[in-house]
Amino acid sequence: MTLNVFYFLSFVAIFSALMVVFSKNPVHSVLYLIITFFCIGGHYLLLNAEFLFIVHIIVYAGAIMVLFLYVIMMLNLNKESEPHKSTLLKVAATICSGLLIIVLVGSLKGTELMMTQQPADISISTVKSLGKVMFNDFLLPFEITSVLLLAAMVGAIMVGKSETAER
């Protein structure tokens, strides 16, 4: 069952990633990219990494994709105003992408042995174990970071208020 879900998510992720590249409409490309991010999040769930799934969905499929859609809509891309690429540039891009594929295949050669090994503690990536580690072993850095973020928020509010008060 899990293997079938993995294959389905992989197929949809690869298909939607290809559609991101080959889609002519930039809004459709962003929507296909959201589908790709959800499929990658599904892979995190299959690995029992619920925290990574939630963070991935909130950060990438939520915040960054909304920003991409906003920028695309603000740019108002038209085919008439878009400059056309020369044939030499297209050939150079094809050669560079082929070289990138060769480098990736070469770097992944021999990794099938690492994929078959199971981790010793399968529950290491759960949110409960992450919370225990964060609040037991890293409590002081966690609290220092929270105070630093609070100070940055207060500073941003003060800077924003002083500009509006002067007007």
Side-chain angles (χ1 to χ4, degrees), residues 18 71 88 94 132 140 153:
L18 287 173
V71 168
L88 180 65
T94 305
K132 284 182 181 178
L140 182 63
M153 283 177 28

Side-chain angles (χ1 to χ4, degrees), residues 55-71:
V55 169
H56 182 77
I57 296 301
I58 289 172
V59 171
Y60 287 109
I64 292 178
M65 285 300 106
V66 168
L67 181 66
F68 279 6
L69 278 173
Y70 178 74
V71 168

Side-chain angles (χ1 to χ4, degrees), residues 62-142:
I64 292 178
M65 285 300 106
V66 168
L67 181 66
F68 279 6
L69 278 173
Y70 178 74
V71 168
I72 286 172
M73 285 189 253
M74 292 301 290
L75 287 177
N76 194 14
L77 299 174
N78 294 327
K79 277 190 173 182
E80 296 84 28
S81 64
E82 183 177 336
H84 295 284
K85 306 291 188 246
S86 68
T87 308
L88 180 65
L89 191 61
K90 290 179 183 178
V91 169
T94 305
I95 291 171
C96 288
S97 63
L99 290 174
L100 177 67
I101 289 174
I102 291 171
V103 168
L104 286 174
V105 168
S107 66
L108 294 175
K109 188 177 177 184
T111 58
E112 62 271 355
L113 295 176
M114 291 189 294
M115 289 182 182
T116 58
Q117 298 173 353
Q118 290 291 328
D121 186 13
I122 195 81
S123 67
I124 194 84
S125 65
T126 62
V127 177
K128 185 177 180 180
S129 63
L130 180 66
K132 284 182 181 178
V133 169
M134 182 155 321
F135 290 116
N136 288 337
D137 299 338
F138 298 102
L139 182 63
L140 182 63
F142 182 77

Side-chain angles (χ1 to χ4, degrees), residues 10-80:
S10 299
F11 172 76
V12 172
I14 291 171
F15 176 75
S16 59
L18 287 173
M19 290 304 293
V20 167
V21 175
F22 294 123
S23 180
K24 301 228 184 254
N25 190 346
V27 176
H28 291 165
S29 291
V30 170
L31 293 175
Y32 283 124
L33 191 59
I34 291 173
I35 294 171
T36 305
F37 284 154
F38 274 104
C39 291
I40 300 298
H43 283 102
Y44 287 140
L45 281 179
L46 289 176
L47 291 170
N48 292 327
E50 296 89 8
F51 180 73
L52 285 177
F53 168 74
I54 294 298
V55 169
H56 182 77
I57 296 301
I58 289 172
V59 171
Y60 287 109
I64 292 178
M65 285 300 106
V66 168
L67 181 66
F68 279 6
L69 278 173
Y70 178 74
V71 168
I72 286 172
M73 285 189 253
M74 292 301 290
L75 287 177
N76 194 14
L77 299 174
N78 294 327
K79 277 190 173 182
E80 296 84 28

